[in-house]
Amino acid sequence: MSLIQEKTLQAVEILKEQQTDLWLTFVRETSGVRDPALDFIIGPGDLTWPSALMFTRSGEKIAIVGRYEAEAVERLDVYDRVTPYDEGISAVLRETLQRLDPGQVAVNTSRNNVHADGLTHAMFEMLSEYLTGTPYADRLVSAEPVINALRGRKTPAEQTRIRKAVEITEAIYRKTFAFIRAGMTEIEIAGFMHAEMEKAGVGFAWPKEGNPAVNSGPDSPVGHSGPTGIRVEPGHILHFDFGVKYEDYCSDIQRVGYVLRPGETEAPPEVRRGFEVIRSAIEQGRAAMKPGVKGNDIDVIARGVVTGAGYPEYKYALGHQLGRVAHDGGALLSPLWEKYGDSPNQLLETGQVFTIEPGLAVPGYGYIGIEEDVVLTGSGAEYLGGPQTEIVLLKG
Amino acid sequence: MSLIQEKTLQAVEILKEQQTDLWLTFVRETSGVRDPALDFIIGPGDLTWPSALMFTRSGEKIAIVGRYEAEAVERLDVYDRVTPYDEGISAVLRETLQRLDPGQVAVNTSRNNVHADGLTHAMFEMLSEYLTGTPYADRLVSAEPVINALRGRKTPAEQTRIRKAVEITEAIYRKTFAFIRAGMTEIEIAGFMHAEMEKAGVGFAWPKEGNPAVNSGPDSPVGHSGPTGIRVEPGHILHFDFGVKYEDYCSDIQRVGYVLRPGETEAPPEVRRGFEVIRSAIEQGRAAMKPGVKGNDIDVIARGVVTGAGYPEYKYALGHQLGRVAHDGGALLSPLWEKYGDSPNQLLETGQVFTIEPGLAVPGYGYIGIEEDVVLTGSGAEYLGGPQTEIVLLKG
C-alpha cells in the first residue's frame, strides 16, 4: 500500500470519529501555492486547474480535476471516482455536493496550524461564490481537527522513516564531533556536515542556509541564521541545530560540546550547571507527556525548570511536532502567546512525534540548547534516539 | 547585486508607477505554505513566526520578523529596517502602519493569479482582526497588479537564465532524438532524458513524474500524466513536453517526431498537414504579440487557425507566462473560460516570457503539439530558441 493510500484510509476513519461528513481540499496551480494536505492525498505531483479532492465519512473518495490531469490522478489508485472537466469546475462541484448532501464541508483554513491552512483567501471567496444559493455555503467549517489528526497520528510507516532520519542525524553528529578542531570556522564545520548528508543521501529538514545552525562561543548569533566565519576556540560552548529529511520525513536535533582550555579536563562549573538544567528540563517535560495532556502544561513544566534555576526565559516554544517538515503543526508545547494561537491548548495524542528543546546562554561561553525527538505511545513519550546526557568535550 | 536586491528595487518602481502606497506580504511557517512572492523578497529561506515584509512607494523596505530570524533577514541586505518581536506581531505591525499611514495596503490575494495569492484565508482574517479599529482595515487592496508586474517583467538577469534553460532543453532534445529506436518504451526514453538532465546539472520545471511527457502513437494519454510502457513503433507520431530549471528559471518546450514505416521517406500527408497547421498557428499568434495587446486576442488568432483548418478545438490555453515556475501566472493567452478568471483580459508587457503551444490529434497516428518560448520586446515577440519548423523523422 502506498503512503497516500494508507493516509487517505486513515482520513476516512478520522472523519467517522469526528463525525464530519465531508473534507474538501480546493486547490489550483499547486506549483505556485501548494496546500500542505496534498502530500497526503495526491503525493508529490501538482494540479494545474481548480481541483476538488473530497473524502466522505461514508468512505467515498472523489476527485474533480482538469481533463488533462485525470489520468495522473486515476493512476494513484486512491480515488473511487475521478471527474474531469474542461472550462470550469463550479457546475460539477455543485452537482457533486448536491448528490453527497453533507452536513459539514470541512475546508483547509486554520488560524492555529499552517498545515491545515492551505486554502487561500481568494480560493475561499471563489468557493463561497460557487456555493451561493446552495445549502453548502453555510456549512463550511475548518478542517483543522481532521488535518491535525491526519498529520499528527504517524502511522508505523511514517514512524519508521522518522526513526531512520534520527539515526542518520546521530551518525553525522558523531562524525562531526570527531572532525572538529580549534581554529575551524562555523562555516567549515557546516560544510563537513553537508558533505556527510550527501554521502548519506538525505535532504534538508529546513533550508540549507540555516541547517545546521552552528554557534561557537558567546558572540555567535543564535537562531535561524546560518553559520558564520567565527572560529572554534578553547573555552567555547559549541552548539548545533541540525535536521535531515529521509524519504520525506524529518529529524530535528540540537547538540552541545565544549572546547577544553589548557589544563581543563572538564567543562567549567557554570557550563556544567547550564547543561544539567537543560537536561533536567527535557527529562521532566518528557516524563509528563502522555495522551490527553495539554501541550502548554508540558511547556510550563520545562520552562519552570530553567527559570526556577535563575536563567532568563527562552522566547520560543519548548517543542513542536515533527513529520514531513520540521515544524509539523498541530498541538504545540508552548506558552500562550499570540503567535502560537490555540495550538498550546490542544491535547497530545498517541502517534504524535515532538521535539523538546529548551535553551539558555552561559555568559562568556556560549549557548546551551539540547533538542530531543520523542514519540507519544499509549503510556508516554519515548526518545526516538539516544538523548544527550553528557556535554561532548573537545580538545582545544 | 543579488536577484532579490534587484527585484525589490523593481518592486518600489512598480509601486510608484501604480500609485500604490504600500505592499505587504504577511506570512508564517513558510515551510508549510509558502507565499510565491517570497522568492523575490527574501529568497529561498523560510520564516517561522508571523512576519510582515513591507515595501513603500517612497522606497522604504521594512521587515517585522520573529527575534530568532532577524539576523538572517538583516544579512539579505535588502531591508532598511528589520524589527524583531517575541510574543506577537500585532502591536508592532499596527505601530508601523500608523507611522507609514498608507492610503492603500496591497496584500497578496488574487482570483486570477495564484502567484499573487499567497495570503491564506485564515491569515487574511487575522490581519483584518489585527487592523480592526485602525483606518487600514478598510484600505486592503489586492497586490495582484504589483506582483503581476514584478513577476512578469523579467530583468536581464532573469532573461539570461531562461535563455540558458531553453538552450539546455534544446540540446537534450537533440540527443534524445538521436537515441530513440523503434521498440523503446516511453518510460525508457524519459529515463534517458532524466540522465541527460543530471549530466547538465539542471532541475525539473515541473515534477519529474510528468516531465517529460512522452506520447508515442494514438493510444498514449496526452496531458500531465507521465510516460507509459507503450513502445515506439513505425507509424507513430512521437510527442514530448519537457522543461528544465536552470538557476531557478524554467523552460517549457514541446517537440514532435514521426517514426517512418517501411518504404516511407516522409511523414504521411495527414501528419504533415497537422504539423503545418500547428506551426502556422504558433507563427500567426507570435506575429500578433506586442505590448498592449490582450492575451485573449492572441489565443483567438491561433485557435482560429486550428479550428479553421477543421480540427477540434484544444481545451486548454494557447500559452502561459514562464519564469521561476513553468506556469508563471499573470496575463494569459487563453479563452474566456471560468477557470482562467480575468487573466486572458490582461495586457502583454515588455519583458514577459510566454509559451505558445497549440495542439491537435491526427487519428491513427498520435498527437501533434509544438511549444515555443518567446520574450516580449518593445516591437514584438522573439523566439528564445530555434523554433521547430520541420517534423523530426525517425527511422522505424
Side-chain angles (χ1 to χ4, degrees):
Chain A
M1 193 183 289
S2 71
L3 191 77
I4 59 170
Q5 286 170 337
E6 187 178 44
K7 293 302 282 186
T8 49
L9 287 175
Q10 190 183 13
V12 170
E13 291 310 307
I14 290 166
L15 293 174
K16 284 181 191 161
E17 175 191 317
Q18 298 185 352
Q19 305 186 18
T20 299
D21 285 350
L22 186 133
W23 173 31
L24 165 63
T25 295
F26 184 54
V27 296
R28 62 167 169 182
E29 285 286 8
T30 64
S31 69
V33 175
R34 189 173 163 89
D35 186 321
L38 292 177
D39 289 338
F40 298 100
I41 62 180
I42 67 157
D46 278 320
L47 294 167
T48 303
W49 302 282
S51 303
L53 305 162
M54 289 179 272
F55 298 87
T56 74
R57 187 179 175 178
S58 62
E60 282 196 73
K61 306 189 190 75
I62 300 164
I64 307 173
V65 299
R67 178 165 312 280
Y68 298 96
E69 285 167 343
E71 172 77 19
V73 174
E74 289 275 11
R75 284 190 205 167
L76 300 174
D77 204 9
V78 160
Y79 295 92
D80 315 314
R81 192 187 289 227
V82 178
T83 307
Y85 76 90
D86 286 313
E87 300 189 5
I89 197 173
S90 62
V92 60
L93 178 61
R94 274 193 302 270
E95 284 159 24
T96 305
L97 286 175
Q98 271 148 5
R99 175 175 73 76
L100 298 169
D101 195 29
Q104 309 81 32
V105 178
V107 296
N108 301 354
T109 182
S110 163
R111 294 199 181 193
N112 304 304
N113 184 357
V114 71
H115 302 291
D117 195 36
L119 185 66
T120 69
H121 181 56
M123 288 293 277
F124 176 85
E125 285 185 330
M126 280 191 279
L127 179 63
S128 300
E129 197 176 289
Y130 292 165
L131 300 186
T132 299
T134 76
Y136 314 109
D138 296 328
R139 296 185 190 172
L140 299 182
V141 299
S142 167
E144 181 188 330
V146 177
I147 294 173
N148 279 9
L150 183 66
R151 260 194 114 90
R153 299 176 190 172
K154 268 71 178 179
T155 64
E158 292 177 293
Q159 290 186 29
T160 299
R161 295 184 189 193
I162 297 174
R163 279 179 199 277
K164 183 76 183 169
V166 167
E167 193 181 296
I168 293 167
T169 307
E170 291 183 329
I172 294 176
Y173 266 129
R174 279 192 296 273
K175 289 186 188 174
T176 303
F177 279 119
F179 166 79
I180 296 170
R181 294 289 176 269
M184 288 178 180
T185 65
E186 293 173 1
I187 288 171
E188 282 175 79
I189 297 169
F192 175 83
M193 295 170 83
H194 289 167
E196 289 297 323
M197 288 175 72
E198 192 150 354
K199 280 190 217 164
V202 292
F204 289 87
W206 61 91
K208 184 176 180 175
E209 287 70 21
N211 186 0
V214 186
N215 300 109
S216 193
D219 299 327
S220 179
V222 171
H224 291 174
S225 56
T228 70
I230 291 175
R231 288 181 192 279
V232 173
E233 287 179 25
H236 277 186
I237 294 171
L238 197 56
H239 166 255
F240 292 89
D241 190 354
F242 176 49
V244 308
K245 189 175 278 190
Y246 171 79
E247 291 187 355
D248 297 322
Y249 284 77
C250 295
S251 62
D252 183 2
I253 295 178
Q254 293 176 47
R255 288 291 177 256
V256 281
Y258 174 77
V259 190
L260 294 168
R261 289 176 291 203
E264 283 181 334
T265 54
E266 60 179 357
E270 54 268 59
V271 173
R272 280 184 283 144
R273 178 164 184 269
F275 183 87
E276 288 309 326
V277 167
I278 290 302
R279 179 68 212 134
S280 171
I282 290 173
E283 186 47 31
Q284 290 187 45
R286 185 198 64 79
M289 288 174 79
K290 60 182 178 195
V293 170
K294 270 188 202 173
N296 178 244
D297 294 345
I298 307 303
D299 182 85
V300 166
I301 291 169
R303 193 170 297 269
V305 173
V306 175
T307 56
Y311 293 96
E313 182 183 6
Y314 45 93
K315 299 302 280 179
Y316 58 85
L318 172 68
H320 51 79
Q321 291 190 56
L322 184 65
R324 296 185 74 93
V325 289
H327 294 174
D328 209 44
L332 189 70
L333 315 181
S334 82
L336 303 171
W337 293 343
E338 174 192 295
K339 66 180 177 183
Y340 297 127
D342 190 50
S343 297
N345 292 314
Q346 295 175 355
L347 306 184
L348 307 195
E349 289 189 339
T350 299
Q352 291 172 338
V353 175
F354 277 95
T355 67
I356 312 179
E357 47 174 313
L360 57 83
V362 182
Y365 289 98
Y367 181 78
I368 293 183
I370 313 177
E371 180 175 17
E372 307 295 354
D373 300 338
V374 301
V375 61
L376 264 284
T377 67
S379 54
E382 287 173 12
Y383 289 115
L384 284 172
Q388 180 170 17
T389 54
E390 294 186 0
I391 196 161
V392 179
L393 295 176
L394 299 157
K395 294 206 173 110
Chain B
M1 194 182 292
S2 72
L3 191 77
I4 59 170
Q5 287 170 337
E6 187 178 45
K7 294 302 282 187
T8 49
L9 287 176
Q10 190 183 14
V12 170
E13 292 310 307
I14 290 165
L15 292 175
K16 284 181 191 162
E17 174 192 318
Q18 298 184 355
Q19 304 186 16
T20 299
D21 285 350
L22 187 135
W23 173 31
L24 165 63
T25 296
F26 184 53
V27 297
R28 61 165 171 183
E29 286 288 8
T30 62
S31 69
V33 174
R34 191 175 161 90
D35 186 321
L38 292 177
D39 289 339
F40 298 100
I41 62 180
I42 65 157
D46 277 321
L47 293 168
T48 303
W49 302 282
S51 303
L53 304 162
M54 290 179 272
F55 298 87
T56 74
R57 186 180 177 177
S58 62
E60 281 196 74
K61 307 191 190 75
I62 299 164
I64 307 173
V65 299
R67 179 163 313 276
Y68 298 96
E69 286 168 341
E71 172 77 18
V73 174
E74 289 274 11
R75 283 190 205 166
L76 300 174
D77 205 9
V78 160
Y79 295 91
D80 314 314
R81 190 186 292 223
V82 178
T83 307
Y85 76 89
D86 286 313
E87 301 190 5
I89 197 172
S90 62
V92 60
L93 178 62
R94 273 192 302 270
E95 284 158 23
T96 306
L97 287 175
Q98 271 149 4
R99 177 175 72 77
L100 297 169
D101 195 30
Q104 310 82 31
V105 177
V107 295
N108 301 355
T109 182
S110 164
R111 295 201 181 194
N112 304 305
N113 183 358
V114 72
H115 301 291
D117 195 35
L119 184 66
T120 69
H121 181 55
M123 288 293 278
F124 176 85
E125 286 184 330
M126 280 190 280
L127 179 63
S128 300
E129 198 176 288
Y130 293 166
L131 300 185
T132 299
T134 75
Y136 314 108
D138 296 328
R139 295 184 191 172
L140 299 180
V141 298
S142 166
E144 180 187 331
V146 176
I147 295 173
N148 279 9
L150 183 66
R151 260 195 114 90
R153 299 176 190 171
K154 267 73 179 177
T155 63
E158 291 177 293
Q159 290 186 31
T160 299
R161 296 183 189 194
I162 298 174
R163 278 179 199 278
K164 184 75 184 174
V166 166
E167 195 181 292
I168 292 168
T169 307
E170 291 183 330
I172 295 177
Y173 266 130
R174 279 191 298 273
K175 289 185 186 174
T176 303
F177 278 118
F179 166 79
I180 296 168
R181 294 289 176 271
M184 287 178 181
T185 66
E186 293 173 359
I187 288 172
E188 283 175 79
I189 296 170
F192 175 83
M193 294 169 83
H194 289 167
E196 290 297 322
M197 287 175 73
E198 193 150 353
K199 280 190 218 166
V202 292
F204 289 87
W206 61 92
K208 185 175 179 175
E209 288 69 23
N211 185 3
V214 186
N215 300 107
S216 193
D219 299 327
S220 180
V222 173
H224 292 174
S225 56
T228 71
I230 291 175
R231 288 180 192 281
V232 173
E233 287 178 27
H236 277 186
I237 293 171
L238 196 56
H239 166 254
F240 293 89
D241 190 353
F242 176 49
V244 308
K245 188 175 278 191
Y246 172 80
E247 291 186 355
D248 297 322
Y249 283 76
C250 295
S251 63
D252 183 1
I253 296 177
Q254 292 176 50
R255 289 289 176 261
V256 281
Y258 174 75
V259 189
L260 295 168
R261 289 177 291 205
E264 282 181 336
T265 54
E266 61 179 357
E270 53 270 58
V271 173
R272 280 184 283 145
R273 179 164 182 268
F275 183 89
E276 289 307 326
V277 167
I278 291 301
R279 179 67 213 133
S280 169
I282 290 174
E283 186 46 32
Q284 291 187 45
R286 186 199 64 80
M289 289 173 79
K290 60 182 178 192
V293 170
K294 268 189 204 173
N296 177 244
D297 293 345
I298 307 302
D299 182 84
V300 165
I301 291 169
R303 195 169 294 269
V305 172
V306 174
T307 56
Y311 294 97
E313 181 181 7
Y314 46 93
K315 299 303 280 180
Y316 58 83
L318 172 68
H320 51 80
Q321 291 191 55
L322 184 65
R324 294 184 75 92
V325 289
H327 294 174
D328 209 45
L332 189 71
L333 315 181
S334 82
L336 303 171
W337 292 343
E338 174 191 293
K339 66 179 176 183
Y340 297 128
D342 190 49
S343 296
N345 291 315
Q346 296 176 354
L347 306 184
L348 307 195
E349 289 189 339
T350 300
Q352 291 172 337
V353 174
F354 277 95
T355 67
I356 312 178
E357 48 176 311
L360 56 84
V362 182
Y365 289 97
Y367 181 78
I368 292 181
I370 313 177
E371 179 175 17
E372 307 295 354
D373 300 338
V374 302
V375 60
L376 264 284
T377 67
S379 54
E382 285 175 11
Y383 289 114
L384 284 172
Q388 181 171 17
T389 53
E390 293 186 1
I391 197 162
V392 179
L393 295 177
L394 300 157
K395 293 206 173 110

